Amino acid sequence: EQPRTRWAKGRAIREWVKPNGARNEAFDASVYNLAIAYQLGLHKWSALDWRRLREMALEMCEAEGVEVV
């Protein structure tokens, strides 16, 4: 998709236009993922929060006998 500006009734309207035949499922999925991440508040997590989550996940894998590379 590309941003384009069109004029209607003397006002500029900015819109995203997809070229004919182009697919944008990957872009849509990225937008949906970003929206849910913000909904969950993940943009507020610090490096320490992410480290704790990783450590917890690794502990769970060890308990289940799952090898983590």
Side-chain angles (χ1 to χ4, degrees):
E1 294 184 350
Q2 295 178 340
R4 296 226 175 115
T5 302
R6 69 178 174 91
W7 293 86
K9 298 182 182 178
R11 300 183 78 180
I13 299 173
R14 187 171 170 99
E15 59 189 4
W16 289 88
V17 179
K18 182 174 62 94
N20 289 339
R23 300 176 63 124
N24 67 343
E25 290 88 356
F27 179 72
D28 289 342
S30 296
V31 171
Y32 298 149
N33 289 334
L34 184 59
I36 195 66
Y38 268 80
Q39 183 74 23
L40 295 171
L42 299 182
H43 63 289
K44 298 178 183 177
W45 281 29
S46 67
L48 179 61
D49 294 326
W50 288 107
R51 193 174 313 120
R52 287 179 181 159
L53 177 65
R54 183 177 190 279
E55 290 170 2
M56 187 173 63
L58 289 173
E59 288 174 7
M60 291 174 63
C61 287
E62 287 177 7
E64 295 290 324
V66 176
E67 183 179 342
V68 178
V69 181

